[in-house]
Amino acid sequence: MNFTLEQDSFGNIKLMTQAGPSYEQVRVIRAFPITNPDHGFSIVDQDGHELVWFEKVSDLSANNQQIIQKSLGQIEFIPVIHRITGLNSYALPSIWDIETDRGNTRLKLKNEQDIRRVSNEALLITDANGIQYLIKNRKSLDKLSKKVLDRFM
């Protein structure tokens, strides 16, 4: 399906199709945001009904690519953990000092169920505030980071 996107000054996206209908306030969603973030996208209406499916952003026009990348950047926030630099206690809840792709920060781990396996190597950690952090490959972490993770998994 050929389509064109427009974005207003408030960030709302409008989808116009060549078949005629247009849709206000649509959203772009990744099908597999963690395991395959570059493939599989859907544009949905306000009620969540799929309007358009496309495999790769790079297959679209430059204008559509720009709008989609901007939209995804505004709604997705999953910092990637590069290493765990310290923690206050091995007892729960515990405070972890971490180094991420967005800078250094702290997370509070409430319980062990807040660490979920996404694949053999990837982990998703949800802190006490509901922020999700991704570890892409736990096997490539430094010794301290592995030790901390082993204790809580």
Side-chain angles (χ1 to χ4, degrees), residues 125-141:
I125 300 172
T126 305
D127 78 355
N129 297 317
I131 298 173
Q132 294 184 325
Y133 296 87
L134 178 64
I135 295 176
K136 289 184 177 181
N137 186 348
R138 64 188 176 98
K139 295 176 182 176
S140 68
L141 293 173

Side-chain angles (χ1 to χ4, degrees), residues 88-103:
N88 71 336
S89 170
Y90 280 103
L92 290 170
S94 66
I95 307 293
W96 297 17
D97 293 317
I98 57 173
E99 197 176 283
T100 75
D101 63 336
R102 298 176 187 246

Side-chain angles (χ1 to χ4, degrees):
M1 171 190 272
N2 290 329
F3 62 93
T4 305
L5 299 174
E6 289 181 357
Q7 191 168 29
D8 65 20
S9 59
F10 298 106
N12 297 318
I13 300 173
K14 179 179 180 179
L15 169 72
M16 291 150 302
T17 65
Q18 280 193 340
S22 64
Y23 303 89
E24 302 285 334
Q25 297 183 345
V26 298
R27 294 180 299 132
V28 180
I29 300 170
R30 290 184 202 266
F32 307 102
I34 295 171
T35 57
N36 196 0
D38 297 327
H39 291 85
F41 297 85
S42 184
I43 298 178
V44 298
D45 66 13
Q46 294 177 21
D47 297 321
H49 299 113
E50 183 175 276
L51 303 170
V52 175
W53 170 265
F54 57 97
E55 276 299 315
K56 297 185 290 185
V57 175
S58 61
D59 292 341
L60 304 176
S61 70
N63 179 62
N64 285 350
Q65 285 183 37
Q66 182 180 10
I67 291 171
I68 288 169
Q69 294 294 4
K70 183 178 178 184
S71 174
L72 290 172
Q74 290 172 337
I75 61 171
E76 293 178 341
F77 180 76
I78 302 179
V80 176
I81 295 175
H82 294 300
R83 42 183 286 225
I84 301 166
T85 57
L87 77 151
N88 71 336
S89 170
Y90 280 103
L92 290 170
S94 66
I95 307 293
W96 297 17
D97 293 317
I98 57 173
E99 197 176 283
T100 75
D101 63 336
R102 298 176 187 246
N104 296 337
T105 190
R106 287 187 163 171
L107 70 83
K108 181 177 182 180
L109 186 71
K110 292 188 302 185
N111 59 57
E112 291 156 348
Q113 289 77 27
D114 291 333
I115 303 174
R116 294 186 324 223
R117 291 181 194 267
V118 179
S119 68
N120 286 339
E121 296 86 20
L123 300 172
L124 194 62
I125 300 172
T126 305
D127 78 355
N129 297 317
I131 298 173
Q132 294 184 325
Y133 296 87
L134 178 64
I135 295 176
K136 289 184 177 181
N137 186 348
R138 64 188 176 98
K139 295 176 182 176
S140 68
L141 293 173
D142 65 286
K143 189 175 180 179
L144 174 63
S145 300
K146 287 179 183 176
K147 180 180 176 183
V148 170
L149 283 173
D150 288 346
R151 164 53 187 93
F152 289 101
M153 290 183 60

